[in-house]
Amino acid sequence: MSDSVAVALISGGLDSMVSAARAREDGHRLLALSIDYNQRHQVELAAARRIAALLAAERHVVLPLDLRAFGGSALTAEIDVPKGGVGADIPITYVPARNTIFLSLALGWAEAAGARDLYIGVNALDYSGYPDCRPEFIEGFEKLADLATKAGVEGEPFRIRAPLQHMTKADIVREALRLGLDAGISWSCYDPAPGGVHCGLCDSCRLRAKGFEEAGVPDPTRYAAAP
């Protein structure tokens, strides 16, 4: 077994599942981190647990961090999730500084565990336009990690791995297939419908369905409404 360990952020979505699987393929033992930020879609945490088990994570920490105390997003406040399609502006489903917060927590665990690789499933092609999914953000956080940690200043740099950064959703679906992953255990919807199914109309559902359609891969997702 490899001596190399990586911390992977696993939200429960398809992207984070593929990213974490890439960490395993890269030869790392896996520490899985999910954040219970009191988000609207708690069902994704059940998906995160399934994914961590599927990938044989050595440890899966589900860390409570109540971002509803701050609000400011349709995922952390009583604001309706938009259902009109992916637009040009940053949508209200953006959670303020979410990936900065999550990567900071992953960085703390990585330094404590002796890991130097952090995996995150962001991509900047088929996405909702969140600023903390862009390559500039990933590059900036990597520099910050080396300035902010004992390991970094002592010459042990951290690597923020975003293996899906330049993939389309169709590319990600194909990558899941290549890796032998069951995409059906992942969860993408921002506003789950009754019966535990994807709503089909939020940005995340639309992007997910688009990815399967363009990849020519059967979509295992149950939608309440056709995306």
Side-chain angles (χ1 to χ4, degrees):
M1 182 177 288
S2 171
D3 290 331
S4 175
V5 63
V7 174
L9 282 162
I10 297 181
S11 68
L14 178 64
D15 296 355
S16 69
M17 177 170 71
V18 173
S19 174
R22 283 284 297 270
R24 289 297 309 272
E25 185 179 56
D26 290 345
H28 300 293
R29 293 153 41 219
L30 192 63
L31 299 177
L33 177 62
S34 304
I35 311 299
D36 180 359
Y37 60 99
N38 206 4
Q39 60 269 51
R40 174 189 298 262
H41 43 296
Q42 287 280 312
V43 65
E44 74 175 9
L45 291 171
R49 292 184 178 93
R50 292 193 296 268
I51 292 165
L54 175 73
L55 297 177
E58 292 193 358
R59 248 190 106 192
H60 181 208
V61 171
V62 179
L63 194 69
L65 180 70
D66 188 2
L67 294 184
R68 279 191 174 264
F70 298 160
S73 167
L75 305 188
T76 57
E78 296 306 316
I79 301 170
D80 290 340
V81 172
K83 301 291 180 72
V86 181
D89 297 329
I90 297 171
I92 193 62
T93 50
Y94 164 71
V95 178
R98 178 173 59 182
N99 284 344
T100 307
I101 295 166
F102 288 5
L103 274 174
S104 297
L105 295 168
L107 177 63
W109 190 12
E111 185 170 32
R116 297 296 176 263
D117 293 275
L118 286 70
Y119 282 73
I120 183 170
V122 296
N123 74 89
L125 293 182
D126 285 337
Y127 77 126
S128 293
Y130 300 153
D132 53 2
C133 289
R134 297 173 301 156
E136 300 94 317
F137 166 72
I138 296 298
E139 292 163 11
F141 193 93
E142 190 170 78
K143 292 175 183 175
L144 173 66
D146 291 338
L147 292 171
T149 58
K150 178 176 183 289
V153 300
E154 290 181 350
E156 296 182 28
F158 290 89
R159 293 165 293 272
I160 311 301
R161 307 291 194 187
L164 317 185
Q165 184 77 81
H166 302 291
M167 290 186 179
T168 64
K169 281 293 185 199
D171 292 334
I172 294 166
V173 169
R174 293 187 193 102
E175 186 71 347
L177 189 64
R178 183 188 71 80
L179 291 163
L181 301 173
D182 177 5
I185 73 170
S186 66
W187 183 273
S188 298
C189 183
Y190 290 149
D191 192 23
V197 298
H198 286 59
C199 76
L201 299 177
C202 69
D203 283 7
S204 191
C205 281
R206 291 176 187 272
L207 289 168
R208 181 182 176 104
K210 175 176 179 277
F212 280 99
E213 181 180 1
E214 292 183 352
V217 174
D219 188 349
T221 315
R222 294 171 57 218
Y223 300 103

